[in-house]
Amino acid sequence: MEHECRMPHRRSVLVLGGAAVAALVLAPRIASAAPAQVEAEINKLYAGKALGDGKIRLDLPTIAENGLVVPLNFEVESPMTEKDYVKALHIFAEGNPNPGVASFYFTPMMPKAAAQFRIRLAQTQNIVAVAEMADGSLYTTKKEVKVTIGGCGG
């Protein structure tokens, strides 16, 4: 008895390939955070304390050509003295699979509360920054970044 080896039909290969591409494109959108998840993360840190506007300068491109490498710069307005300084700054992304992007901690011995780094964004979304001051007050700002090529598998 002869064993028959069948090659897959061209149509089957195309359908499977199309399904795989669709899964790769849609997966980052399905498994992404939402604004409510960012709020929940902020509440975990600060238990519903009021957030004020101002003090944070968030520098991001309005349109990111590639979500794999989006430059982010921030600076928090503060004299950085023993009694008046920035304790922490947290960065959140509303559309990434994990909403927490980065946290920075400062002391009054630092000349300013600022940093620059690159982040990965899965899709067009808001970036939220929350600064905690030495007196316990909180400040926030938000900026939308349009991503043309996703960075988390998209």
Side-chain angles (χ1 to χ4, degrees), residues 4-153:
E4 184 177 320
C5 180
R6 293 182 55 189
M7 295 296 286
H9 293 291
R10 181 173 179 246
R11 185 175 298 167
S12 299
V13 171
L14 289 175
V15 168
L16 286 174
V21 169
L24 286 173
V25 169
L26 294 176
R29 285 158 179 71
I30 293 169
S32 61
Q37 287 173 292
V38 169
E39 285 181 38
E41 291 295 315
I42 294 169
N43 279 330
K44 277 186 205 175
L45 291 171
Y46 300 113
K49 289 178 72 175
L51 300 172
D53 289 326
K55 293 209 182 237
I56 305 171
R57 185 179 56 80
L58 195 57
D59 185 19
L60 284 153
T62 303
I63 298 174
E65 295 292 326
N66 185 344
L68 287 172
V69 287
V70 179
L72 185 152
N73 301 318
F74 73 83
E75 185 171 346
V76 183
E77 180 186 317
S78 171
M80 298 303 283
T81 63
E82 194 66 39
K83 294 183 188 252
D84 186 6
Y85 67 96
V86 179
K87 284 178 68 174
L89 183 115
H90 306 283
I91 305 286
F92 301 95
E94 291 182 348
N96 275 9
N98 182 0
V101 174
S103 293
F104 295 86
Y105 299 92
F106 302 95
T107 71
M109 294 173 37
M110 297 175 166
K112 64 182 180 176
Q116 55 186 342
F117 61 106
R118 296 187 185 279
I119 61 175
R120 177 179 281 184
L121 299 178
Q123 61 191 2
T124 296
Q125 61 190 285
N126 288 318
I127 304 302
V128 179
V130 177
E132 177 186 4
M133 308 305 282
D135 65 2
S137 61
L138 302 173
Y139 294 91
T140 188
T141 192
K142 180 188 302 189
K143 184 169 181 185
E144 182 183 57
V145 178
K146 292 179 174 46
V147 177
T148 58
I149 300 173
C152 297

